[in-house]
Amino acid sequence: RYLNGYHRISSVFQFFLTKRHHSASSSGSLADGARPTPLTKKELCHIIAEEHDLTFSKSARILNTVFDTIVESVAEKKQVKISHFGKFTPYKSKERTVTLNGKQYVIDAKEQVKFKPFSAFEDAMN
């Protein structure tokens, strides 16, 4: 499951980075304080379907498989590396105490995930 679609997944992410970078740079920079429009899962499915000549539902199943595999792997405490994109690393935060309105509250340690973009991802943003 992980290796069968690895090269195909990698090419989808490469396409996403290239397509998104060109469309963002052609529209110019955002005005001060303006927020970029988020790219939704539905839009990603349309991009995948168009680029690979698939139906929307088939591309949605593929994207769901990719996301589910990432989530399952990180939940199993595995690091996920996707070339030209980045890596997802599970970690456990430390318990900490915060003060709010004069009262102290303990925030329990919990499982979290870090994302570190690879240089190709960062280069596409600049």
Side-chain angles (χ1 to χ4, degrees), residues 49-60:
E50 181 183 312
E51 179 67 16
H52 297 283
D53 198 27
L54 301 170
T55 64
F56 176 84
S57 61
K58 189 172 271 191
S59 67

Side-chain angles (χ1 to χ4, degrees), residues 53-69:
D53 198 27
L54 301 170
T55 64
F56 176 84
S57 61
K58 189 172 271 191
S59 67
R61 285 194 310 268
I62 292 169
L63 191 59
N64 284 332
T65 301
V66 171
F67 289 156
D68 290 346
T69 303

Side-chain angles (χ1 to χ4, degrees), residues 16-49:
F16 164 71
L17 290 173
T18 305
K19 184 91 164 181
R20 209 47 193 168
H21 177 66
H22 291 308
S23 63
S25 62
S26 64
S27 63
S29 60
L30 294 171
D32 289 337
R35 296 182 110 154
T37 304
L39 180 67
T40 65
K41 185 175 169 183
K42 185 176 181 179
E43 291 171 322
L44 279 172
C45 290
H46 282 295
I47 291 169
I48 293 168

Side-chain angles (χ1 to χ4, degrees), residues 14 17-18 20-22 24 118-126:
Q14 186 63 40
L17 290 173
T18 305
R20 209 47 193 168
H21 177 66
H22 291 308
F118 287 164
S119 60
F121 185 104
E122 289 178 335
D123 291 346
M125 294 181 63
N126 294 320

Side-chain angles (χ1 to χ4, degrees), residues 87-122:
K87 69 180 173 183
F88 299 87
T89 306
Y91 75 99
K92 187 167 187 164
S93 67
K94 296 179 182 177
E95 182 180 281
R96 62 189 200 270
T97 305
V98 296
T99 304
L100 183 64
N101 297 329
K103 293 184 181 179
Q104 288 196 339
Y105 298 92
V106 175
I107 299 175
D108 295 331
K110 63 180 178 179
E111 297 294 328
Q112 295 185 322
V113 63
K114 291 181 187 178
F115 175 73
K116 169 74 173 124
F118 287 164
S119 60
F121 185 104
E122 289 178 335

